[in-house]
Amino acid sequence: MKRSIFATLLLIFCVSSLFAKVNPKNLINANVYSTILKEKRDLRILLPNEFKDTYFSYPVIYLLDAESNFATGVEVLSFLMDNHFIPPHVVVGIPNTDRFRDMTPVDSVLNKTIFPTRGGADTFLQVLETDIFPFVAKQYRGSSRRLVMGHNYSGLFVMHAFLSRPELFDRYMAFSPILWWNDTAMLHDMDLFLTKNSSVRKHLFMSFAKEAKNMLEACKELAKLLEEKAPMDLKWKYEWMPDEDHYSLYRKSLMSGMEVIFRDYKYPSVEDLAKGGVGSANGFLRDIMLNYGRNEKLPYSLLESVCLQLKQEARYDEAIKFLTYTSVNYPERAEPYFYAGEIYESTDKPKQAFKFYEAAHQKDKGRWDYEQKYLAMQKLLEEMRNKEQNKTPL
């Protein structure tokens, strides 16, 4: 079975002692006064590495239950941002002041003595919209592109937000949401929502582990509803994690969910670029601009690998096109010129080969092999000229 690149990275990330390092300079503690709840709310902020060198706005990831999940969350998210698996985001962790008040919808059938303040999810959505979103936009250049993620009761909140205020976020990630809440009313709400909406241009990722029987039954019913009624433009996935329990699945869910939600942001493979040519490279970057508003270029190491593969397969015309593309994007690099020289030499075009060997040597005079190849080709051309002159009749 072909292992996804995320599965491989997850294995490395989870077992390696060299965990992703979060730059402490990018971490900020802030607070905002909620005019809705009449209380101060603490926020834990992670800024992208490039933040201080830019002026534009960033999409925002809202990480709930930050008092327990922020450290793990930013460790994983920093790793993913640094390795171009997700775009740079501002990450906003929101610690709870009253979790059962803010994360649960109204009308629970549970005895109110167990959760006396329950049922404030709609109010907390107003807090986000009225107090927190504007603060993040003003202070940290947060854009209107938002992702919300939560686990357990905050996963229930994520599902409630998706169904009741879908316009607030573009992407939703719920890990083991408490679907049994209010006698599994979430299933009825989902059924009604999908029936009423023929178009839902959102992303939804859900994960479940080894759960209690009532949770598992609700999970299966929810997945069945989505399979039968989800509109075509709703990009959703349900992931079952039998090797995890209700509390251990957070890190794995975060990695897997980001793979699903930002699949189109991941760099194309060497094989895909070699097959699609320069057009596929430009197409990928165009989609990144359209979907994420980012003007990027493919990394040199990836382009070089494509060039070398095409060269090795003797697809010389395609290789030259990719080498030209690479040299335009990375004019300071000498290697593309040297590789082009090798191609022209192998196809018995010494004049073109010399031109590119000379360019490679001029760009990197510290490379002894470049100098030797340049001098050898220069000598060959002189010998060819002398030979031609000797053939000339007197």
Side-chain angles (χ1 to χ4, degrees):
M1 181 181 294
K2 185 178 180 181
R3 175 181 289 180
S4 73
I5 193 167
F6 252 73
T8 303
L9 285 171
L10 177 61
L11 178 63
I12 296 172
F13 188 82
C14 290
V15 303
S16 174
S17 60
L18 299 176
F19 289 104
K21 300 298 183 183
V22 179
N23 187 344
K25 294 181 179 180
N26 296 334
L27 293 171
I28 298 171
N29 290 319
N31 63 75
V32 58
Y33 182 76
S34 170
T35 59
I36 305 295
L37 294 173
K38 308 300 181 185
E39 66 181 20
K40 184 178 71 173
R41 298 304 298 253
D42 291 331
L43 301 176
R44 300 177 185 177
I45 313 291
L46 172 69
L47 300 176
N49 287 329
E50 65 182 37
F51 187 83
K52 65 179 181 179
D53 299 320
T54 63
Y55 60 89
F56 47 78
S57 61
Y58 286 88
V60 185
I61 294 174
Y62 286 93
L63 189 157
L64 304 175
D65 294 342
E67 70 276 11
S68 57
N69 292 328
F70 187 73
T72 298
V74 297
E75 183 183 38
V76 173
L77 293 170
S78 293
F79 172 81
L80 297 178
M81 286 190 279
D82 291 347
N83 290 278
H84 202 275
F85 289 105
I86 67 173
H89 280 74
V90 172
V91 181
V92 179
I94 307 177
N96 292 299
T97 56
D98 187 338
R99 190 184 191 213
F100 297 113
R101 177 195 67 190
D102 295 340
M103 297 294 104
T104 58
V106 296
D107 296 331
S108 169
V109 297
L110 291 178
N111 191 318
K112 191 171 182 178
T113 59
I114 302 175
F115 302 112
T117 60
R118 74 190 191 277
D122 287 327
T123 300
F124 193 66
L125 286 170
Q126 293 179 33
V127 172
L128 290 170
E129 184 177 26
T130 304
D131 300 321
I132 296 180
F133 290 171
F135 175 80
V136 173
K138 181 178 180 181
Q139 298 297 324
Y140 305 107
R141 290 187 264 140
S143 75
S144 59
R145 294 186 175 187
R146 309 182 189 103
L147 181 154
V148 62
M149 51 183 283
H151 168 248
N152 195 277
Y153 283 97
S154 62
L156 173 69
F157 175 84
V158 169
M159 298 301 297
H160 178 71
F162 173 75
L163 296 174
S164 63
R165 296 293 306 277
E167 75 280 4
L168 292 183
F169 300 94
D170 305 292
R171 296 171 166 86
Y172 297 79
M173 297 176 63
F175 312 149
S176 283
I178 304 299
L179 297 181
W180 52 258
W181 185 263
N182 195 22
D183 198 20
T184 66
M186 187 66 65
L187 299 178
H188 174 267
D189 295 343
M190 179 65 78
D191 191 2
L192 186 63
F193 177 80
L194 296 176
T195 300
K196 286 185 175 181
N197 293 278
S198 59
S199 175
V200 183
R201 301 191 64 174
K202 303 292 177 180
H203 296 256
L204 173 64
F205 174 83
M206 302 164 293
S207 64
F208 299 94
K210 290 185 294 186
E211 310 284 359
K213 183 179 179 181
N214 58 344
M215 271 281 285
L216 286 177
E217 291 175 351
C219 295
K220 293 176 182 178
E221 184 62 29
L222 181 63
K224 183 179 178 182
L225 279 172
L226 286 162
E227 288 170 356
E228 294 176 350
K229 295 190 174 184
M232 294 295 292
D233 55 0
L234 172 60
K235 297 181 180 179
W236 70 276
K237 185 175 182 181
Y238 154 91
E239 192 158 319
W240 164 240
M241 299 180 177
D243 296 331
E244 305 292 335
D245 62 37
H246 183 76
Y247 295 99
S248 70
L249 86 167
Y250 191 89
R251 183 188 295 268
K252 186 175 181 180
S253 296
L254 182 50
M255 292 284 285
S256 297
M258 290 295 170
E259 177 188 15
V260 171
I261 286 181
F262 293 106
R263 190 180 303 277
D264 60 343
Y265 189 75
K266 185 173 64 176
Y267 286 137
S269 67
V270 172
E271 292 74 18
D272 287 341
L273 288 172
K275 181 179 179 181
V278 171
S280 65
N282 286 328
F284 171 78
L285 297 176
R286 182 174 59 251
D287 290 343
I288 293 297
M289 172 59 78
L290 291 174
N291 296 330
Y292 299 101
R294 294 186 59 82
N295 184 19
E296 298 188 354
K297 62 181 180 180
L298 294 173
Y300 175 78
S301 59
L302 176 59
L303 296 179
E304 182 183 39
S305 295
V306 176
C307 295
L308 290 174
Q309 178 166 316
L310 292 171
K311 178 172 167 285
Q312 184 178 6
E313 295 173 355
R315 296 160 60 184
Y316 294 137
D317 290 343
E318 297 166 81
I320 290 296
K321 290 178 182 178
F322 234 106
L323 287 166
T324 302
Y325 177 81
T326 303
S327 64
V328 169
N329 282 276
Y330 294 92
E332 74 282 4
R333 300 302 296 244
E335 296 92 339
Y337 295 89
F338 187 79
Y339 299 146
E342 289 183 316
I343 289 174
Y344 284 120
E345 182 181 8
S346 66
T347 54
D348 198 25
K349 297 177 181 177
K351 291 182 179 180
Q352 291 94 322
F354 172 75
K355 180 179 70 173
F356 284 97
Y357 284 144
E358 182 181 30
H361 172 56
Q362 291 299 322
K363 285 181 175 293
D364 190 350
K365 292 190 175 182
R367 288 286 297 265
W368 177 85
D369 52 337
Y370 287 8
E371 181 181 17
Q372 292 303 303
K373 183 63 76 169
Y374 158 65
L375 293 174
M377 190 56 60
Q378 185 180 54
K379 181 179 179 181
L380 175 63
L381 289 176
E382 290 176 355
E383 291 174 351
M384 291 174 63
R385 282 194 295 269
N386 292 335
K387 189 175 181 179
E388 286 296 319
Q389 290 176 356
N390 291 336
K391 288 181 179 180
T392 304
L394 296 177

